[in-house]
Amino acid sequence: MNSAYARCSARQRCGRNRRTSRGRTVATSSSRMSGTKTIWECNSPDSLLDLSARFCITHLDTFLTSSKAEVDTLHLPTEIGEKLFQMAQEEGVDLDDKFIHIFRHLTRICRASLRESSITDRGIKYLLRHGLRELDIHNCAGLTVQTLHNINRYSDNLQNLCVGNSVQILPDYLQPEGTFSDSESEDGRDGNIYEKQGFIIKAPKLKRLCVRDLFVNRGPMFFDLLLKPLTDLNHLDLSGAFHNQGMGNFGWLLNVSQLVSLTLHNVQDVEDSLKTLCQLKNLHHVDISQCNESRGHFKQPTQFMETLVRSLPKLRSLDISGTNLAGTGGERTNTESVQCDIAGLASRVDNPLEFLGLYKTHNEASGRQHIPARSISGDSCEAQILVAGQRYLDRPTVLENILNDLFHVFRYETCQNLKQALDILLLAMERHNHEKHIQISGSASLYYVVKSESLKRDWNVKVKRKILGTLLNGMLTHREDPTMMRNGCLTLCQFQIPADVLFDYKRLVKILLHIVSEHTSEENNFIQRAGIFLLNSLACQVDGQQKMLVGSLGAMEKMLLIITDKLQQGVCDDVMETAWSTMWNVTDETPVNCERFLNGGGMYLFLKCKDRFPDKADLLRNMMGLLGNVAEVPSLRHKLMTKEFVEEFAFLLDSCSDGIEVSYNAAGVLAHMASDGPQAWAVDQPDRDHVLFRMARAINRWDLRSGRNINYRSFSPIIRLAGVSHTPECQLWAIWALANLTTVTPEKYCKLVVQEGGLSLVEEMLNENSDQVKTSLHQVKEWAGIVRSNVLKWEEQGDLNLEFDG
């Protein structure tokens, strides 16, 4: 399926007021607070612990007890409790209050990552009572200031706290001194309460604090009050912080003088921080990057850089992405002893930085030759883009640009490190499931990555499932977006359908049914075509349980609606033909779906389509194949027994459309209807004997060596007809079918004949050993002999192969 690939252009500017959707990301172990950022893992079977945890999480009633005595006696170790929480995120379980309540007395945990969950103040209070050491509450919109009070109440052991986007638990203002209030009115957000108590966050052992996109309306002492009580803090991330009254000179950072890592990404007035930063002598990592162009413009960039670098003797990592701190390039130092294209870093030529962030720096600084850093994030080459992707996974707007840069590499260049590129794509899509632009850009690049034959040799079943699972997460979340659906469908077409997606079959069916029924406009024609093609592939070569699932999700009704719509438009295209083909596949040996077809007016649409598009051979074959499945169901055959339907089937006996397929299927439908005996033939016209005569005449015209466009999973309905002695024309059709299929495709169908008792039946018919299995037609016996000969020849060939193998 060839089509130009779609993607979304990146937003080039980054404002702080981003709309964040509620929801959750299905997290893997790679995205946990302490995990390695990679999706790659060995293909070994899951451990017994993982299997047990997954079962328990997907069957939460396992933990429900019937009495208080059982509650008191059941307790799980901390390691098991944390494994259950980790597995819940991997399985996409919402860590809401109900989930937390189940485990409140069952186990104790030390680490809790609640990203994208719908937990409320009540649920998190249960967890905090465990004495947590690590807590991540990113995008938990159900939390209020009451959670801050609970953190302060139960934070004696807390060492790591991350308060991410859309979490409104911190105050946004402080009252002027002297206006204290003793109440916690206005939901506890009355700023003077915090000044009176002397802290905003009370966590005496806190070592790492991350607060993203903090907005402070007023209160010049806000950051002093936030940081002064946190004397053990050594890692601080205030990305996106904004104070309506300005950040001052950042002197409040001196309250945490032991900092080794400081992130001020996209923070206002960061140029005013130089004097304070230079006093934090323990800093190993400093991030003063920007994604707002105006904020990234420093008045004296080279002097700022040189002063900062010379003042911090332990500095190993520096990020100045999105700024002009690398200078114009004209100030480079170039002597016999020193070559440096970033003047402010000339003092580090002999002691290069371990990392330097130059992504989207002004004046294309990342493309310069002499840069004193071992690892660089930038946008001038693939390697730098990949480093940027790993470093900025928690910055959605920066990630959009990175994913667009990667897309350019995939589409117009040759990617040298596909494994790391796939890592970044999946981690970005997984972590930011509700960011539409990331999902669109990521899925666009994913298409090019999964096409790579070299990468396919490296990935295993687990990695393949992560790719598909992450893609389906994005498609399900953004199912109304046509670009996302287009990208997703094209990427799915690179996999083996249905084999590769059986692990997530239900979700994919839901997505595809939405695509084919909702993305129906002319401009979305390709999306609907791709969706229905994939849906048809999903319904083919799967067992009855999955066919029943597809039907229960509304597939039959949606296919019939598509056909009705196409009839009204007067159009017979591949969408209509595939809709009939999908129903053909879904009804195969699945009576409940056959009934859904009849109840939905399927026979009426069959007649309409045949009359409107008489020359469409593929359409006619698909429709008759479907009706053959319906006719196999004894309880439904009477619904086909009308003058109009029988005349139509009899007429099609003489059809040459699509070789013999239409004639073959018409004869099959009539054979099943006739197999119920003369008493079940409820119409006077056409006459039963006349129809059977025409049927036998048609069958005798068919070439026994005709190639077939059909796929049987079972011969059970055919073998049943072969035993209908009271109507030999039924036997004629059934035995011809077995003779043809074992002649044309012996390697596939001879085994099926043996397994389902067909060979025994043929032997009885030829040897006339049974009154139950006999025939009055010589031609039936002749073709039965061919079936036996084909099977015996196949068995001999199999024995010969075994001898050679031995």
Side-chain angles (χ1 to χ4, degrees):
M1 191 176 295
N2 297 318
S3 177
Y5 213 81
R7 73 183 179 104
C8 177
S9 61
R11 287 179 287 175
Q12 298 300 318
R13 300 185 63 188
C14 167
R16 71 164 305 284
N17 292 323
R18 295 173 49 80
R19 181 186 64 81
T20 307
S21 303
R22 286 195 61 194
R24 69 177 183 274
T25 300
V26 178
T28 65
S29 57
S30 60
S31 64
R32 299 196 310 275
M33 294 169 69
S34 59
T36 303
K37 296 177 181 178
T38 180
I39 58 98
W40 295 92
E41 60 177 292
C42 65
N43 203 34
S44 59
D46 288 340
S47 67
L48 180 59
L49 175 59
D50 283 347
L51 292 171
S52 302
R54 183 172 291 110
F55 176 86
C56 292
I57 288 302
T58 52
H59 300 80
L60 286 174
D61 56 331
T62 305
F63 299 112
L64 297 179
T65 54
S66 57
S67 67
K68 186 179 185 301
E70 289 179 322
V71 172
D72 293 337
T73 56
L74 184 61
H75 186 78
L76 298 175
T78 297
E79 295 80 6
I80 302 296
E82 291 183 351
K83 168 59 74 172
L84 291 170
F85 272 72
Q86 171 202 329
M87 189 60 67
Q89 287 205 320
E90 290 185 17
E91 293 299 309
V93 175
D94 185 11
L95 303 186
D96 57 8
D97 291 0
K98 182 180 178 181
F99 178 89
I100 302 299
H101 188 267
I102 293 174
F103 293 93
R104 60 175 180 158
H105 298 304
L106 185 63
T107 186
R108 298 186 68 84
I109 63 171
C110 296
R111 303 172 182 85
S113 176
L114 306 173
R115 295 173 68 93
E116 312 277 351
S117 74
S118 61
I119 194 169
T120 70
D121 298 327
R122 183 180 181 183
I124 208 167
K125 185 176 182 180
Y126 292 143
L127 281 179
L128 289 166
R129 286 173 174 171
H130 290 203
L132 295 177
R133 289 203 298 266
E134 297 182 11
L135 176 63
D136 184 348
I137 46 175
H138 173 83
N139 202 12
C140 300
L143 301 180
T144 72
V145 70
Q146 186 58 46
T147 285
L148 177 60
H149 296 324
N150 288 327
I151 288 174
N152 291 335
R153 189 171 297 137
Y154 302 106
S155 62
D156 288 348
N157 296 319
L158 194 62
Q159 298 179 18
N160 189 337
L161 176 62
C162 178
V163 182
N165 308 80
S166 297
V167 180
Q168 306 297 325
I169 68 170
L170 296 176
D172 60 5
Y173 71 93
L174 296 177
Q175 296 281 42
E177 287 189 51
T179 59
F180 295 119
S181 167
D182 290 327
S183 69
E184 293 188 6
S185 60
E186 299 181 17
D187 298 323
R189 298 182 67 86
D190 202 353
N192 51 26
I193 294 169
Y194 303 99
E195 287 199 347
K196 184 176 182 180
Q197 66 188 17
F199 59 84
I200 295 175
I201 296 175
K202 179 186 177 183
K205 296 181 181 178
L206 195 67
K207 296 184 180 301
R208 293 172 177 262
L209 175 64
C210 171
V211 183
R212 293 199 176 96
D213 292 342
L214 174 63
F215 177 84
V216 183
N217 192 32
R218 64 179 183 271
M221 300 302 292
F222 184 95
F223 288 106
D224 269 300
L225 193 59
L226 176 67
L227 298 178
K228 192 171 184 178
L230 307 177
T231 54
D232 283 355
L233 203 66
N234 52 41
H235 286 71
L236 177 62
D237 183 347
L238 292 175
S239 295
F242 180 87
H243 197 306
N244 207 30
Q245 295 175 311
M247 306 295 280
N249 64 355
F250 292 78
W252 34 268
L253 286 171
L254 298 177
N255 290 305
V256 284
S257 58
Q258 299 305 309
L259 283 180
V260 297
S261 175
L262 175 63
T263 299
L264 299 174
H265 167 68
N266 211 38
V267 172
Q268 67 177 131
D269 306 329
V270 75
E271 188 170 8
D272 299 335
S273 68
L274 180 61
K275 182 178 178 181
T276 300
L277 293 179
C278 290
Q279 297 178 63
L280 299 173
K281 300 298 183 179
N282 291 311
L283 282 174
H284 292 190
H285 169 74
V286 175
D287 184 341
I288 49 176
S289 60
Q290 298 287 333
C291 56
N292 183 306
E293 190 172 345
S294 60
R295 289 183 187 173
H297 184 80
F298 288 65
K299 295 174 184 175
Q300 296 179 307
T302 299
Q303 182 179 342
F304 185 102
M305 274 279 283
E306 187 173 1
T307 304
L308 180 66
V309 171
R310 288 183 180 276
S311 300
L312 300 178
K314 298 181 181 180
L315 189 67
R316 299 201 304 263
S317 173
L318 176 64
D319 201 325
I320 58 171
S321 299
T323 72
N324 67 340
L325 288 172
T328 63
E331 322 90 335
R332 63 173 56 91
T333 301
N334 192 357
T335 66
E336 290 185 6
S337 58
V338 178
Q339 285 188 319
C340 182
D341 289 339
I342 299 177
L345 292 178
S347 62
R348 297 301 298 257
V349 169
D350 295 327
N351 181 25
L353 294 168
E354 293 295 326
F355 168 76
L356 179 62
L358 295 177
Y359 186 71
K360 300 297 181 186
T361 42
H362 301 187
N363 305 307
E364 300 179 340
S366 64
R368 298 174 195 171
Q369 185 174 0
H370 301 292
I371 301 175
R374 292 186 172 88
S375 175
I376 297 169
S377 70
D379 53 341
S380 65
C381 66
E382 176 191 320
Q384 291 182 355
I385 295 170
L386 292 175
V387 172
Q390 285 284 359
R391 300 283 302 202
Y392 308 136
L393 280 170
D394 286 318
R395 299 176 183 176
T397 305
V398 180
L399 263 183
E400 289 173 26
N401 286 300
I402 292 169
L403 293 180
N404 280 313
D405 289 340
L406 276 178
F407 179 84
H408 189 279
V409 171
F410 296 133
R411 189 167 189 181
Y412 301 110
E413 303 171 21
T414 301
C415 183
Q416 303 300 316
N417 194 338
L418 282 170
K419 290 185 72 171
Q420 189 177 351
L422 180 60
D423 237 346
I424 291 166
L425 291 175
L426 292 186
L427 290 170
M429 293 176 69
E430 176 190 86
R431 190 163 296 196
H432 303 284
N433 183 257
H434 288 263
E435 294 285 345
K436 184 170 72 172
H437 295 287
I438 285 179
Q439 296 301 316
I440 290 174
S441 294
S443 60
S445 295
L446 199 57
Y447 166 73
Y448 288 99
V449 173
V450 300
K451 282 176 63 178
S452 166
E453 292 300 324
S454 62
L455 189 65
K456 288 178 181 178
R457 289 193 294 270
D458 289 336
W459 72 32
N460 54 44
V461 172
K462 287 187 175 182
V463 173
K464 191 187 298 184
R465 288 186 175 185
K466 285 182 180 178
I467 295 170
L468 288 163
T470 303
L471 179 64
L472 294 187
N473 290 340
M475 292 179 73
L476 199 59
T477 302
H478 304 285
R479 55 188 175 274
E480 304 302 335
D481 187 273
T483 306
M484 184 65 199
M485 295 302 98
R486 180 188 184 92
N487 292 354
C489 286
L490 282 169
T491 304
L492 287 167
C493 287
Q494 303 304 312
F495 291 87
Q496 295 295 319
I497 305 293
D500 286 345
V501 296
L502 290 177
F503 77 100
D504 216 349
Y505 192 83
K506 184 175 182 178
R507 280 206 310 164
L508 180 52
V509 171
K510 285 183 176 180
I511 292 168
L512 294 176
L513 286 175
H514 179 83
I515 288 174
V516 300
S517 59
E518 300 299 327
H519 292 271
T520 58
S521 61
E522 186 63 32
E523 59 269 26
N524 292 335
N525 180 255
F526 171 78
I527 303 171
Q528 189 186 38
R529 284 169 50 221
I532 204 163
F533 165 79
L534 286 166
L535 187 64
N536 189 37
S537 300
L538 272 185
C540 187
Q541 296 180 348
V542 292
D543 61 28
Q545 185 178 359
Q546 280 139 344
K547 292 179 188 290
M548 288 173 64
L549 172 64
V550 175
S552 70
L553 293 174
M556 301 301 291
E557 292 79 5
K558 284 183 168 56
M559 295 303 104
L560 293 171
L561 283 173
I562 289 171
I563 293 165
T564 300
D565 183 54
K566 293 294 182 181
L567 273 170
Q568 291 173 350
Q569 298 174 29
V571 173
C572 178
D573 56 9
D574 50 359
V575 171
M576 174 184 265
E577 291 177 359
T578 310
W580 281 103
S581 178
T582 301
M583 291 195 293
W584 182 5
N585 282 319
V586 171
T587 54
D588 182 27
E589 296 185 47
T590 314
V592 65
N593 288 338
C594 295
E595 188 170 12
R596 288 186 174 110
F597 168 76
L598 294 177
N599 292 342
M603 291 304 297
Y604 169 79
L605 292 177
F606 158 69
L607 294 176
K608 285 288 185 182
C609 286
K610 182 184 175 300
D611 290 343
R612 189 71 181 270
F613 311 110
D615 300 325
K616 295 289 185 177
D618 289 343
L619 174 67
L620 193 54
R621 180 194 70 239
N622 293 344
M623 292 193 299
M624 289 308 301
L626 163 59
L627 296 184
N629 290 339
V630 175
E632 289 177 2
V633 184
S635 62
L636 300 179
R637 283 199 279 269
H638 70 279
K639 295 188 177 183
L640 303 180
M641 192 65 71
T642 70
K643 179 177 182 295
E644 190 176 21
F645 296 157
V646 175
E647 282 181 343
E648 199 63 58
F649 301 148
F651 173 78
L652 291 173
L653 287 170
D654 297 322
S655 171
C656 295
S657 179
D658 197 29
I660 68 166
E661 294 301 331
V662 172
S663 178
Y664 172 86
N665 284 319
V669 171
L670 290 168
H672 283 290
M673 295 173 70
S675 71
D676 293 330
Q679 71 281 0
W681 195 269
V683 293
D684 294 329
Q685 292 296 326
D687 177 68
R688 182 176 186 269
D689 290 339
H690 180 66
V691 170
L692 292 176
F693 169 78
R694 292 184 60 186
M695 192 172 95
R697 185 179 64 184
I699 294 170
N700 281 299
R701 283 200 303 261
W702 300 338
D703 182 355
L704 197 62
R705 296 189 173 277
S706 297
R708 306 304 306 284
N709 187 8
I710 198 166
N711 178 47
Y712 281 103
R713 294 188 304 120
S714 171
F715 281 154
S716 177
I718 295 177
I719 292 171
R720 187 191 71 82
L721 288 179
V724 179
S725 301
H726 64 70
T727 306
E729 289 83 1
C730 296
Q731 295 176 310
L732 191 69
W733 179 83
I735 295 297
W736 186 93
L738 295 178
N740 165 254
L741 292 167
T742 56
T743 298
V744 176
T745 323
E747 67 283 356
K748 181 176 182 180
Y749 289 121
C750 285
K751 181 179 180 181
L752 205 56
V753 170
V754 175
Q755 287 178 339
E756 300 196 344
L759 182 59
S760 300
L761 181 142
V762 165
E763 294 280 10
E764 288 187 20
M765 183 179 290
L766 290 172
N767 297 329
E768 300 181 355
N769 290 336
S770 169
D771 292 335
Q772 303 267 322
V773 184
K774 60 183 180 180
T775 183
S776 58
L777 292 180
H778 172 73
Q779 191 64 61
V780 171
K781 284 191 174 184
E782 182 179 330
W783 288 336
I786 292 174
V787 174
R788 180 172 63 179
S789 175
N790 289 339
V791 171
L792 293 176
K793 189 183 300 182
W794 168 78
E795 288 179 334
E796 289 173 3
Q797 185 63 40
D799 291 339
L800 188 62
N801 288 339
L802 285 174
E803 289 179 16
F804 285 138
D805 291 342

